[in-house]
Structures are given as C-alpha cells and as structure tokens.
Amino acid sequence: KAHSGEASAVSKTAGESGEKGEEKTKERVAVVDFDVHHGNGTQEIFWDDPTVLLVSVHQADNYPPRSGRVGEEGGRGAEGTKVNVPLPPGSGSGAYQAVFTRIVLPALRLFRPSIIFVSCGFDGSYMDPLGKMMLSSEDFRWMTAQLVDSASELSEGRLVVCHEGGYSDIYCPYCGLATVEALAGLRSAVQDPFLEEVNGWGYQELQKHQEEVIDATTSGALAKLQKTIGSDELYKR
C-alpha cells in the first residue's frame, strides 16, 4: 500500500533541512506501520534512504503476497533502516507487545528520529474481515501510548498518526476511540463491549513460532541498523 499524502509529508520532512549550512545534514524520520498489510509503498519509496526508518509490523503474506519478509532491510547505505516483522496469522496481544518492546521501541531509540509517523490500521483487530489477527481496542491503546512516550523521549513530542485500514464497521469505532484517547491522555466513559470476548480467546500470549519471527528480525535488520548508525556520519548530531 502506498499513500501519497503520507509519503509526501515524510519526504518533505526528511529533506527540508538537507541543505542547511555546510553540514548538509538531514532530519531523520521514522514510520511505524502496524496496519495488517505490509507497508510496501513506504518501503519502496524510501528503500535507499538512510534518513527514513520504516518498521512494518504486519500479517505474513497477507497483502501483498511475498512482501515484507524479514530479509528486506533497505538498500546499500541504508541497511537496517527498513525493519519488517511478518507475524503469523493468529497473533495477538502477546506477540504485538513483544514486537514493540523488543523491536519497535529499541529501533526508535537507536535511530532517534526528529518526528514519528504512524501508519495506524485497525485491520489487525480480531473482528476484521481482511486480517487474521487477534488485537483488541486495548492493544491499539497500548501501542499508541508507547509511541506517544517514544515521541516525548526522542522527538520533542512530534508524532503524526495517520488512519489506514480497518474494515469492521462494528469494531473499528472502539479501536479508533482507544487510539484517540491514548493520544489525548484521557479515557471517556465509553466501554468496549467486546473486550471480554477477545481477551478470552486462546493463544493471546506470545507463541513460539511468533517469537521465532521476532528473533529473526532482531538478529537481522535491528542488528544492521545498529551497525549502520554506528558507522555513518549522517546519524551523528
């Protein structure tokens, strides 16, 4: 999926300071994409750009097929700046929390972006007809809160959340509300009436085959990102 508006905003932010002074440094931009589909458009546009970090957490081989695999890590000079976590179908709270704590948040701290964009899709919810994941509205609240904290720590609070997928007309409103509440730092009186049901589904905890994907990404793209950052003058500010 490619969203021209978001890509344009990322391009403008990444390049706007590229010719400031004699240093010719560029601002660093991070994109965290937890839509159930791979962030293939963002990856293709910024494949060779070391100033744009993409972390795509998606359902493996959903759409596009054979896209967003662990070994897709960025072009020459940008190795490790494209981080793909293709989770198996049936991944729930435990898998996504492990991805955030072991990959997403560490990658952001390594990269230290000037701004964080979020490709926020609700099609990872347990009711979505186009995905096979098991997330609840509280999972979206938790992920958003983690990114709010990261933006406060790393990018002076600069965080842009762009709504993408989500095709359950019954459940998307609860996921959207939880996300907005996390951004605002408050809770309304509205309760998710489906929360007990989704939390009761089996295999919500991290499974071994899900952890194998996380480990592969940690030893692959995340390790390369650390190496690239350590060796490139571009990241020293």
Side-chain angles (χ1 to χ4, degrees):
K1 56 185 185 296
H3 299 274
S4 58
E6 182 181 346
S8 177
V10 173
S11 295
K12 185 176 185 297
T13 305
E16 65 184 359
S17 63
E19 298 302 324
K20 287 182 180 178
E22 295 181 358
E23 295 181 358
K24 294 186 177 180
T25 58
K26 286 190 176 183
E27 296 295 327
R28 299 196 291 278
V29 176
V31 180
V32 177
D33 186 336
F34 53 74
D35 188 277
V36 83
H37 305 109
H38 176 226
N40 59 302
T42 308
Q43 177 171 290
E44 181 179 350
I45 293 167
F46 300 107
W47 181 253
D48 296 310
D49 191 339
T51 68
V52 178
L53 170 69
L54 166 67
V55 185
S56 180
V57 187
H58 50 274
Q59 181 182 320
D61 285 333
N62 181 313
Y63 182 84
R66 298 172 296 281
S67 178
R69 295 186 171 178
V70 169
E72 299 172 23
E73 299 168 344
R76 186 173 181 179
E79 293 90 343
T81 61
K82 310 303 173 279
V83 182
N84 284 291
V85 192
L87 288 173
S91 296
S93 298
Y96 277 81
Q97 289 181 16
V99 169
F100 263 67
T101 56
R102 299 185 197 180
I103 296 174
V104 176
L105 303 180
L108 290 173
R109 291 191 185 103
L110 278 171
F111 195 73
R112 302 194 66 82
S114 302
I115 187 170
I116 301 171
F117 286 83
V118 182
S119 298
C120 174
F122 301 130
D123 38 12
S125 81
Y126 87 114
M127 277 195 190
D128 200 88
L130 298 187
K132 301 298 180 186
M133 298 309 211
M134 301 197 301
L135 297 180
S136 71
S137 61
E138 286 302 307
D139 292 316
F140 289 104
R141 183 191 306 276
W142 183 85
M143 290 190 291
T144 303
Q146 300 305 304
L147 295 170
V148 168
D149 289 344
S150 289
S152 296
E153 174 190 350
L154 303 169
S155 58
E156 299 180 352
R158 289 186 286 266
L159 178 71
V160 179
V161 179
C162 305
H163 179 213
E164 291 200 353
Y167 306 95
S168 170
D169 55 357
I170 296 173
Y171 202 55
C172 268
Y174 295 103
C175 299
L177 176 62
T179 298
V180 172
E181 287 180 348
L183 289 169
L186 55 80
R187 277 184 179 261
S188 68
V190 177
Q191 300 294 313
D192 179 351
F194 303 101
L195 200 55
E196 183 177 355
E197 177 182 270
V198 61
N199 286 342
W201 280 29
Y203 304 99
Q204 281 287 4
E205 64 275 10
L206 178 65
Q207 305 296 308
K208 183 178 180 181
H209 65 297
Q210 299 161 354
E211 189 165 26
E212 289 172 354
V213 175
I214 296 170
D215 289 343
T217 303
T218 302
S219 61
L222 200 60
K224 289 182 180 177
L225 174 63
Q226 187 167 16
K227 184 177 180 181
T228 296
I229 288 174
S231 63
D232 197 323
E233 291 293 326
L234 179 67
Y235 297 99
K236 298 176 182 178
R237 68 179 186 187

